[in-house]
Amino acid sequence: MNDDNRNDSLDDLEEDVTEYIGKDENSKSLALPQQNLPRRMYVLPVSNRPFFPAQVQPVMVNQNPWHETLKRVGETDHRILGICFVENPEDGNRVPGSEEFETIGCAVRVHHAQQEGGKVQFIAQGLQRFRIVQWLRRRPPYLVEVEYPEEPEEPADELKAYTLAIISAIKELLRTNPLYGEEVKQYLSRFGPDDSSPLADFGASMTSAPGRELQDVLDTVPLLRRMEKVLLLMRKEQEVARLQSEINEEVNEKVQKHQREFFLREQLKVIQRELGIAKDDKTADAERFEQRMSELNPPAAVRERFDDELQKLQVLEQGSPEYGVTRNYLDWLTQVPWGQYSQDHFDLAAARQILDRDHDGLDDVKDRIVEFLAEGTFKGEISGSILLLVGPPGVGKTSIGRSVADALGREFYRFSVGGMRDEAEIKGHRRTYIGAMPGKFVQALKDSKVANPVIMLDEIDKIGSSFQGDPASALLETLDPEQNREFLDHYLDVRMDLSKVLFICTANQLDTIPRPLLDRMDVIRLSGYIGEEKLAIAKHHLLPRLLKRAGLMKKQLNITDAALRQVIEGYAREAGVRNLEKLLHKIVRKGIVKLLEQPDQPVKVGAPDLPAYLGQPVFRKEKSLKGTGVVTGLAWTAMGGATLSIEASRIHSSQRGFKLTGQLGDVMRESAEIAYSYVSSNLKRFKGDPTFFDKSFVHLHVPEGATPKDGPSAGVTMATALLSIARKEAPQQNLAMTGELTLTGQVLPVGGIREKVIAARRQKISHLILPEANRGDYDELPEYLKEGLTVNFAKHYNDVFQVCFGGKPRAGASVH
């Protein structure tokens, strides 16, 4: 229907409405006469939506089992059938029970019943509501006794107002959907617009409301209440129709716009081609590069190089290999953020808050980071700084780097140099090579889009070297604040200023880092965590992260503090928390399996439940090795601190001899020889039999023989074990020691004091012996690490002897 015909229909409807509203009360006689309605009738169920008295509409039902019903209706004089709404049948072929029928339905007259293809179709003319009073037959064909409810009298003014409102809503629906026009004409052929009751039913039948809402209208006999409900449904229908119209207009507008743009673009191409002004790909590339560079602030040398390369690009043929090389070069050169810097956030309180938010423990490291940021705040900039975070795996080195970037408000870029063997990864390839690319630092600036990001170089202690070059040597220029102001990438071949970049490196140990490279870094040590720190990390960070990753709520899976402590002490004693996270993840996975099997039963994991989740504990609570010839030492490894029991035993007394086992390195073997010589020569002073070692074959063993061990710090421990068997006296229990021993009995300093103290606390050892020269290292430890410890500092082995065996050594020396 076009717009002119639609407007004519609306005008005709408005004239008809005006004519009918102006009629007197006698106009009601034009309505369908309702006499001769039977008190008993057959009923038929419909499932989509109820039928209304004002409707004339085809109805189709299955021939089986409703053919008999329609046949009996056709045999009656009045040919009247009751239609009742049955909501949501599970199966369209199922015969509903009588209890599923709605009480109020619509009496209809059946016209033109026809059978075709297992279906029966007829025209239903709605007559009047009925209410089922009694069921006379409860299986098809259903037969009921009915009554016809009468509408109470309503105020004429209100009735007229509602009538006009419904007519207005119908007119509005006709404007948005002309398909309703035929239904309106059909209605006007049978009723007048002032026939309020049929008008309300007709308005409800025009809507697409759900069957339950329409049945609610059919159930409402009082006319004003019914008209209120119909108006609400029609307002919803108007809104849906309006939205549908807007969507159609928007879609048509987009389609027309795209078609118009397509034709215009094709015409423009033809015109440009005819006039010879069309741009080729080369010109488009040149303009794009020029546009990028105009938005940057490059140094004069970079701008000059760019102009030269751009001019070369414009004279090269697109098919030549040199064109692709030059184009790629300009692409990289214009993506480096020349002169683009982010604003630093110099807020120490916020920095401390971010560090505390992301990490539990590590107070000394946080203080060191805050001091570093404070220095930059005082200067007004953070530049020329290279931090090196050293510590065992899993202690949070990488995450601290991210926290520093968050605290400064800078972009963060991380790449690992572990196993890197080609210096071109650092300084880029020459442009002459096929597939040449810039180095990692140029890529970091391109990705971060600023010239002052935080760049993290992970695993710098594992960097390699090969015939292709030495990446560690290539880093010397990059990590030198005096040289990286003019860093030269081989690919770009222009000087870059990296002095504004904050470099943060990570390593597990310092031994493998070249000394010239190490000298350029500010070292910050991260030691391992003690049990309480691990517990806090597990509760505040690891477990919440794993639950969120798995989509679980805290109330669904609960791991008690006792269980967490048992996991830490029995399964994950390493310095970091990476293995602890893996074990917690394993518990979460098994917990999810239980939740899927029993969804309503929350999972609670206690300490006794751990073997079912993780197996038997890796570390069992055993009595520490003790007795004559057994001493506990403290060692440092790349995995953190560790305790080491050293055992000495006299094998036989037939000859002198000394045997070492335990896969000891050269330095540790030398320490054992020194301890053996020192104790042998001074045995009389230490109240032992001077001839003991002359006629004894002694065996010194360091347990866990599969693990390689080396270093000088076990000297005093070995000497104490040898002295114990010579004196036939066990040393003091719950005692651990470390220190290098000389032939004259001097106790020299060792490294890794913090890690060794943490290892002792982990094993619940409360009495330590440390070299006097390491007193300062111990004093710098945080108070929570020193709490509950008794520490003796030894300058000479005499001090160690007094603590281990009590009493003082005799004056003088016994030399054999």
Side-chain angles (χ1 to χ4, degrees), residues 679 683 686 719-728 797 801 805:
V679 173
L683 194 52
F686 295 123
T720 305
L722 293 171
L723 190 57
S724 173
I725 62 169
R727 287 171 50 91
K728 299 179 181 178
Y797 187 76
F801 177 79
F805 301 101

Side-chain angles (χ1 to χ4, degrees), residues 232-288:
L232 180 60
L233 294 180
M234 297 192 76
R235 290 286 182 263
K236 292 180 180 179
E237 193 71 18
Q238 288 174 2
E239 185 66 21
V240 172
R242 184 184 64 79
L243 289 175
Q244 183 180 2
S245 177
E246 290 179 358
I247 292 172
N248 289 335
E249 290 178 4
E250 185 178 351
V251 171
N252 292 335
E253 183 180 350
K254 286 182 179 179
V255 171
Q256 293 172 1
K257 180 181 178 182
H258 289 163
Q259 290 177 343
R260 181 171 176 271
E261 288 178 353
F262 173 76
F263 288 123
L264 289 176
R265 194 175 293 111
E266 292 300 317
Q267 290 174 1
L268 179 61
K269 286 182 180 179
V270 174
I271 294 171
Q272 288 179 337
R273 193 180 305 116
E274 292 295 329
L275 295 177
I277 60 174
K279 295 180 181 178
D280 56 9
D281 293 339
K282 184 197 300 184
T283 306
D285 287 341
E287 289 184 357
R288 183 170 71 254

Side-chain angles (χ1 to χ4, degrees), residues 93-337:
N93 297 321
R94 184 179 63 89
V95 178
S98 60
E99 68 280 356
E100 299 180 54
F101 283 66
E102 294 290 337
T103 305
I104 291 185
C106 178
V108 301
R109 178 163 283 126
V110 177
H111 300 280
H112 306 297
Q114 297 178 351
Q115 300 180 26
E116 184 177 354
K119 302 285 185 180
V120 179
Q121 183 175 353
F122 61 91
I123 303 297
Q125 176 188 2
L127 301 177
Q128 189 173 345
R129 284 172 176 75
F130 68 83
R131 181 185 288 112
I132 296 175
V133 177
Q134 184 180 359
W135 283 86
L136 302 177
R137 181 183 176 88
R138 292 184 176 273
R139 61 179 182 275
Y142 294 111
L143 184 63
V144 295
E145 183 177 334
V146 301
E147 65 178 7
Y148 300 94
E150 296 183 1
E151 299 174 359
E153 291 291 331
E154 304 284 3
D157 292 339
E158 291 187 36
L159 204 59
K160 188 172 184 179
Y162 274 106
T163 301
L164 291 174
I166 292 178
I167 291 174
S168 176
I170 293 175
K171 289 169 62 180
E172 184 67 27
L173 284 177
L174 279 174
R175 289 190 183 96
T176 56
N177 191 348
L179 297 177
Y180 290 128
E182 291 300 324
E183 295 185 32
V184 173
K185 288 180 181 179
Q186 232 179 37
Y187 171 81
L188 290 176
S189 68
R190 301 171 57 225
F191 302 100
D194 58 342
D195 289 324
S196 302
S197 180
L199 182 65
D201 292 337
F202 175 70
S205 68
M206 289 180 66
T207 67
S208 58
R212 172 48 54 195
E213 295 183 10
L214 293 176
Q215 181 63 38
D216 186 35
V217 172
L218 189 64
D219 290 342
T220 306
V221 177
L223 188 52
L224 284 181
R225 283 177 50 205
R226 191 195 324 160
M227 296 177 89
E228 287 179 5
K229 295 180 179 180
V230 171
L231 275 175
L232 180 60
L233 294 180
M234 297 192 76
R235 290 286 182 263
K236 292 180 180 179
E237 193 71 18
Q238 288 174 2
E239 185 66 21
V240 172
R242 184 184 64 79
L243 289 175
Q244 183 180 2
S245 177
E246 290 179 358
I247 292 172
N248 289 335
E249 290 178 4
E250 185 178 351
V251 171
N252 292 335
E253 183 180 350
K254 286 182 179 179
V255 171
Q256 293 172 1
K257 180 181 178 182
H258 289 163
Q259 290 177 343
R260 181 171 176 271
E261 288 178 353
F262 173 76
F263 288 123
L264 289 176
R265 194 175 293 111
E266 292 300 317
Q267 290 174 1
L268 179 61
K269 286 182 180 179
V270 174
I271 294 171
Q272 288 179 337
R273 193 180 305 116
E274 292 295 329
L275 295 177
I277 60 174
K279 295 180 181 178
D280 56 9
D281 293 339
K282 184 197 300 184
T283 306
D285 287 341
E287 289 184 357
R288 183 170 71 254
F289 295 144
E290 185 65 47
Q291 174 66 25
R292 284 185 192 172
M293 189 59 75
S294 66
E295 297 173 356
L296 303 174
N297 185 23
V302 174
R303 183 72 205 195
E304 183 179 353
R305 173 60 66 87
F306 171 76
D307 293 339
D308 292 343
E309 295 292 332
L310 188 62
Q311 185 178 0
K312 183 197 297 184
L313 181 76
Q314 291 172 338
V315 300
L316 290 171
E317 291 295 333
Q318 284 186 264
S320 69
E322 186 67 18
Y323 180 86
V325 172
T326 305
R327 184 187 178 281
N328 289 340
Y329 176 81
L330 288 171
D331 190 27
W332 275 103
L333 189 66
T334 55
Q335 291 193 76
V336 175

